Amino acid sequence: MTNESSFLLGRLGWDALPFWDMIQNPTRESIINGIIASGAAGMVVLGALAAMALITWYGKWKVLWCDWLTSVDHKKIGIMFIVIALLMLLRAVIEAAFMRAQQAFGLGGGFLSPEHYGQLFTTHGTIMIFFMAMPFLTGLINFVMPLQIGARDLAFPVLNSVSFGLTAAGAALMMISLVLAPFSTGGWTGYPPFTELQANPGPGVDYWIWGVTLSTLSSTFSGINFAVTIYKKRAPGMTLMRMPLFCWTALCTSILMIFGMPPLTVATGLLALDRYLDFHMFTADLGGNMMNYINLFWAFGHPEVYILILPAFGVFSEVFSTFSGKRLYGYTALVIATMAIAVLSFTVWLHHFFTMGQSAHINAVFGIATMLIGIPTGVKIFDWMLTMYRGRVRLTVPMVYAVGFLILFSIGGLSGIILATPSIDYQIHNSLFLVAHFHNMLIPGLLFGMLAGYTYWFSKAFGFQLDARWGYRAAWSWIVGFMLAFFPLYALGLLGMPRRTVAFFDPVYLPWTIAAGLGALIILYAIVCLMAQLWVSIKRRAALATPGGDPWDGRSLEWDTPSPVPEYNFPVLPQVNSHDAFYRQKCDGAPHESPARYEPIIMPRNTAMGVIIGVSGTAVGFGLTWHMWWLALAFTGVALIAMIARGFVRNTTWTLDAEAIERQQRAWAHQLEQFEPITRQWEQSEANRGVPVPPKEGAIQ
């Protein structure tokens, strides 16, 4: 097979295999890079084969299809989003470790070629933003938000399945790019001219374009779905100002998704027109202007920062309140601060290119706007600290992540205030100081929040807690590893080391790059701890079971359900009369109150639409990347036919009998009576079955 285009395989040839260059040009550099790339490709292929073999061995294909892939249950779709996020996190952290190793050995050369290093930092950034962070926060909102507002599902269950299919398709393209290389070297931002056809004619940029486009479409649909659900599906009495803070952050995140994602979809679409049809939208000739791309990208990119951060703020609000044993301090101020951050996030995109030559007046306006965002963020920090003040703080695993966030995020925010000054930013914008800053925001701010939420709500999803010992090891390793991996980058940036550099020749950088490499090893250990925690927890699931549903003495409505939660969520929609609705019930001596009468519940039927759109999106993206026009056209047709056919489906719901619901609820109530209520000091022990000691009647903390 050659590079010449053919009808069947397009431009796909033997040179797409990761070991091909190593065979054709066996130099030291090509052999090392070929072994690394081939090992990564082998892990993908073997991992996929092993997964299929295990499903076949245990006879779970029908369960996978009927109970998961075609399900429109918001909880299961949320779990599948999080599974994708955790798998992509594993890949992205391994890639980051290779980059840190390259810099640790980078004095005078290193072991990675410039092209391979460029692919690594492009895939790392793309995966962490679009295929780790976005699926993680989308999954958490999917799972938790409808439960917290007392709803039975999202407003558009089928659209939710389609959103998952689009994200899965983009993630699949990212994994395929490991097997059939290469990927883009244009960075996660995809700036022209680096991503134009003349500078980068291979398939790598096209992988990036279609993977990102699928992700942005998914996020836009999810944002619409979440916003409509919060506006229209709240339980009786659940006013906006009675919603838990997590739901407020979900609402603001949804609005940011709706208005922030389309600019990037437009930008990648126009870049595709440049590459496929020679449109010259962003070229330096024939009327193009690359600054148009940069403005479109950051019109998405800065709201995206808060799309990532706000859900984590919501998680931390829940964690600080629950594990301090107090209601959240300054609820109204936190709501206003959340909304202020969402609005201001659209006013600061230009600070991402302070170095590109616009006037000092424009830089001053955007610098001031950037500093203003620190005010509502500071309000949140102080309210969380005041929530802990004089509370009965329990340093559970989620709380360790939360306290680590509080300290480290504040440091990252202060470094952001430094960068908001245009004259300082001009000096250090393209140095590792900036890399340290945005990791200092996103790892404690986003990742710690997602891992805290994963630990906090895991038992609600699966009916058993995660093992605390391995959880503490993971949390402390993340905190220590992060500090060691990224704090040295502040020093390197001030010393003048540029970002995105594959090698360096000044020995003064070396001690700092070695320290950062050691930090990356500790982060790898944190990933190992997370995997060990999940493995140990599954093996010990009987001892860690919390079927009572309230292992943390929770305050919001999701804890008023069994664990795992039944498909219908609530047998009767709850009546909400105050903040912390479930905790109020417990204080009034009436938790889990049974209704006088049960009614049948109408539920949405399963559908294969999400699977069809996911498979079609993968095939279309792959076909366009490798110029297999027949494949792209065929699966575009499949997707269109599926969407049209869905419009003619009339049997879209099924009814759950009242008797069946009553049997399940009575069985759960009987189970609750058998468990010994436990105090908060025993909540991480095997004595915890999800039934806490009730608070004193009439008390509200």
Side-chain angles (χ1 to χ4, degrees), residues 402-539:
V403 174
F405 148 81
L406 209 59
I407 298 167
L408 296 175
F409 188 82
S410 298
I411 295 170
L414 291 173
S415 67
I417 297 299
I418 293 171
L419 287 163
T421 307
S423 56
I424 297 176
D425 182 86
Y426 194 88
Q427 299 298 319
I428 57 179
H429 183 86
N430 285 312
S431 76
L432 284 175
F433 188 96
L434 186 70
V435 176
H437 160 69
F438 68 71
H439 282 89
N440 204 164
M441 303 301 288
L442 291 181
I443 293 180
L446 163 81
L447 187 58
F448 286 10
M450 295 300 101
L451 292 174
Y454 160 75
T455 309
Y456 182 61
W457 283 299
F458 185 92
S459 64
K460 184 53 59 180
F462 297 104
F464 60 93
Q465 293 194 84
L466 287 169
D467 181 81
R469 290 169 300 173
W470 282 104
Y472 282 119
R473 291 167 190 164
W476 286 112
S477 297
W478 272 111
I479 291 169
V480 173
F482 162 77
M483 290 191 292
L484 191 56
F486 291 100
F487 281 4
L489 302 193
Y490 283 119
L492 285 167
L494 294 175
L495 288 170
M497 185 171 179
R499 55 183 173 143
R500 306 190 189 99
T501 183
V502 67
F504 56 90
F505 299 93
D506 189 340
V508 74
Y509 300 151
L510 189 59
W512 301 101
T513 60
I514 291 174
L518 293 174
L521 289 177
I522 297 175
I523 289 175
L524 278 177
Y525 176 70
I527 289 285
V528 171
C529 289
L530 284 175
M531 292 190 292
Q533 180 192 34
L534 184 59
W535 174 260
V536 169
S537 302
I538 292 172
K539 288 185 68 176

Side-chain angles (χ1 to χ4, degrees), residues 347-348 350 354 359-372 420 422:
T347 69
V348 297
L350 195 135
F354 272 159
S359 75
H361 300 293
I362 293 174
N363 282 353
V365 169
F366 280 85
I368 292 168
T370 302
M371 293 181 187
L372 285 176

Side-chain angles (χ1 to χ4, degrees), residues 82 86 109 226 235 259 312 362 395 402 406 515 531 534 553 559 563:
I82 293 171
L86 291 173
F226 296 154
F259 292 101
I362 293 174
L395 275 179
L406 209 59
M531 292 190 292
L534 184 59
D553 196 12
W559 306 110
S563 296

Side-chain angles (χ1 to χ4, degrees), residues 160-235:
N160 196 23
S161 179
V162 169
S163 296
F164 172 73
L166 290 168
T167 290
L173 284 177
M174 296 298 298
M175 301 309 286
I176 290 170
S177 72
L178 271 178
V179 181
L180 298 173
F183 196 73
S184 172
T185 56
W188 80 274
T189 55
Y191 277 10
F194 306 114
T195 51
E196 290 286 355
L197 195 62
Q198 291 78 9
N200 209 326
V205 176
D206 301 314
Y207 270 130
W208 181 85
I209 286 173
W210 303 119
V212 168
T213 300
L214 290 165
S215 172
T216 57
L217 288 173
S218 170
S219 297
T220 304
F221 295 155
S222 291
I224 294 169
N225 214 346
F226 296 154
V228 174
T229 301
I230 292 172
Y231 285 135
K232 294 294 186 181
K233 304 278 281 185
R234 300 191 307 277

